[in-house]
Amino acid sequence: MTVSNEIKVIAEIGCNHMGDMDIAKELIRVASKVCGAHVAKFQKRNNKELLTPEEYEKPHPVPANSYGSTYGEHREFLEFSVGQHKELQQECRMMEIDYSTSVWDLTSAQEITTLKPNLIKLPSATNQHYVLQEFLCKNFDGEIHVSTGMTTHEETDRLVGFYEKHGRAKDVVLYACTSGYPVAFKDICILEINRLQERYGDRVKSIGFSGHHLGIAADVAAMTAGIIGRNIFGKGDFEYVERHFTLDRTWKGTDHAASLEPDGMRRLCRDLKNVRHAVAYKEKEMLDVELVQRDKLKWREDKHGGQIRQAS
């Protein structure tokens, strides 16, 4: 089997920049130059639109992680303007890594669309927000990536059907995902990748995996499942692995604990690239590397039916 393009790794920076542009740019640089990730992804929220007045004025549920006296103040502290996102996009170009953002509401989608990134992500929380998604269908030409955490099968059917109705399903990358921070290994459910491939693999552009677990072993397993599933079902290319990324897992904030630090992200990018080459059938019965060893080590019959072995 010929090895196709390498799996793309999305370093989900999200709000791990802690509202600091210098940290955000350093995260971009490290994701690209140190780790070898393909995409640096942020988040965009219009908090007054996204939250009810009651939610906005409530205290953060975990005060130790809060950057304000209310949840609204906390979210505003972490929010970058569209102008700052444009600056981050320019930084990504200089660092030779693709820029993307998750959009949580219609205003954020409208703002980020003006930057014309190659891909925009919809988090699991937003995949049933059809006013937002209709706007993207009509006003954004790039890939639309959608996570399916905390989403029923019926809701996922509706989601894919919506994009088919709008003629955009072949621009959709659908992610297997369990929404939790962090997620226990028993709840990662990697074989959901295969379910998405079997049901939607010929209807969407490709399948991805968005993980919120610890370590990187499950990501390698996810990629392997995706490649094998593509062979079994004959559809459903597996293209993307997304993981949260931080410079320090002990930093203040909700997502740091479920994020990879630079060495973890570097190892993830390395292992996915290497194992991608390993998940393949032999191109012929014996590979060239085996022929050398066969001549040295293999027992065989001689012309008289006896057993001989070539001496090493």
Side-chain angles (χ1 to χ4, degrees):
M1 183 183 73
T2 301
V3 176
S4 62
N5 294 335
E6 65 180 314
I7 304 303
K8 300 181 184 72
V9 177
I10 298 177
E12 162 68 280
I13 294 168
C15 299
N16 282 346
H17 49 70
M18 303 184 294
D20 188 313
M21 282 290 285
D22 289 336
I23 293 175
K25 291 179 179 180
E26 179 66 3
L27 281 159
I28 291 170
R29 186 193 69 79
V30 174
S32 177
K33 301 303 183 182
V34 176
C35 304
H38 302 80
V39 182
K41 187 169 77 66
F42 295 88
Q43 295 182 10
K44 188 78 179 77
R45 292 173 171 88
N46 182 303
N47 295 301
K48 290 289 181 67
E49 179 178 338
L50 183 63
L51 302 172
T52 66
E54 292 76 19
E55 290 170 330
Y56 196 93
E57 295 300 331
K58 277 185 178 180
H60 192 290
V62 184
N65 284 328
S66 184
Y67 287 93
S69 60
T70 66
Y71 187 69
E73 288 182 3
H74 163 76
R75 290 254 53 106
E76 299 292 5
F77 184 91
L78 296 173
E79 194 62 37
F80 287 149
S81 69
V82 66
Q84 288 173 305
H85 275 273
K86 184 175 182 179
E87 188 176 340
L88 294 173
Q89 185 182 45
Q90 292 168 344
E91 186 72 17
C92 285
R93 290 194 186 104
M94 289 191 292
M95 291 296 111
E96 299 178 300
I97 188 171
D98 212 356
Y99 160 89
S100 182
T101 298
S102 292
V103 293
W104 286 69
D105 52 79
L106 178 58
T107 298
S108 296
Q110 292 168 335
E111 291 177 338
I112 295 301
T113 297
T114 65
L115 302 181
K116 299 182 179 180
N118 292 324
L119 64 98
I120 286 177
K121 179 82 183 292
L122 290 175
S124 299
T126 313
N127 68 24
Q128 298 297 294
H129 189 332
Y130 286 105
V131 174
L132 186 165
Q133 292 177 93
E134 184 171 17
F135 174 83
L136 290 179
C137 286
K138 294 179 178 179
N139 298 279
F140 178 63
D141 294 332
E143 292 181 358
I144 302 172
H145 292 213
V146 190
S147 275
T148 60
M150 53 185 176
T151 304
T152 68
H153 293 183
E154 182 180 356
E155 288 171 337
T156 307
D157 282 344
R158 182 187 179 199
L159 175 73
V160 174
F162 170 86
Y163 283 103
E164 288 176 325
K165 176 183 175 182
H166 286 80
R168 296 297 307 275
K170 288 300 184 178
D171 295 319
V172 169
V173 178
L174 203 61
Y175 286 74
C177 176
T178 298
S179 298
Y181 305 88
V183 172
F185 281 95
K186 67 182 180 63
D187 293 328
I188 298 173
C189 302
I190 285 168
L191 295 184
E192 280 295 298
I193 292 167
N194 299 142
R195 186 185 69 81
L196 295 178
Q197 287 174 311
E198 183 177 18
R199 187 162 183 82
Y200 308 112
D202 56 351
R203 299 167 64 184
V204 299
K205 181 179 185 292
S206 63
I207 304 300
F209 172 69
S210 179
H212 305 98
H213 50 279
L214 302 178
I216 62 174
D219 303 282
V220 176
M223 178 193 69
T224 303
I227 295 169
I228 293 173
R230 174 66 176 85
N231 287 344
I232 291 173
F233 303 119
K235 58 185 180 179
D237 287 339
F238 185 85
E239 277 195 284
Y240 289 92
V241 169
E242 176 187 75
R243 289 295 305 276
H244 281 260
F245 178 55
T246 184
L247 297 179
D248 188 336
R249 294 179 65 245
T250 68
W251 277 353
K252 178 180 174 179
T254 304
D255 291 342
H256 295 288
S259 300
L260 294 176
E261 291 179 333
D263 192 55
M265 182 63 73
R266 179 189 65 80
R267 290 170 183 264
L268 174 65
C269 295
R270 178 201 65 189
D271 289 356
L272 289 176
K273 183 176 181 179
N274 290 340
V275 176
R276 177 66 191 90
H277 289 278
V279 186
Y281 297 105
K282 288 185 177 180
E283 294 180 347
K284 52 186 178 180
E285 286 185 280
M286 286 184 292
L287 299 176
D288 292 343
V289 67
E290 294 180 293
L291 293 175
V292 176
Q293 304 307 318
R294 179 181 174 86
D295 288 342
K296 292 170 58 178
L297 304 173
K298 189 77 171 182
W299 283 89
R300 68 198 76 176
E301 288 188 354
D302 64 16
K303 61 183 178 181
H304 303 296
Q307 297 290 304
I308 62 172
R309 183 178 68 83
Q310 176 67 43
S312 59

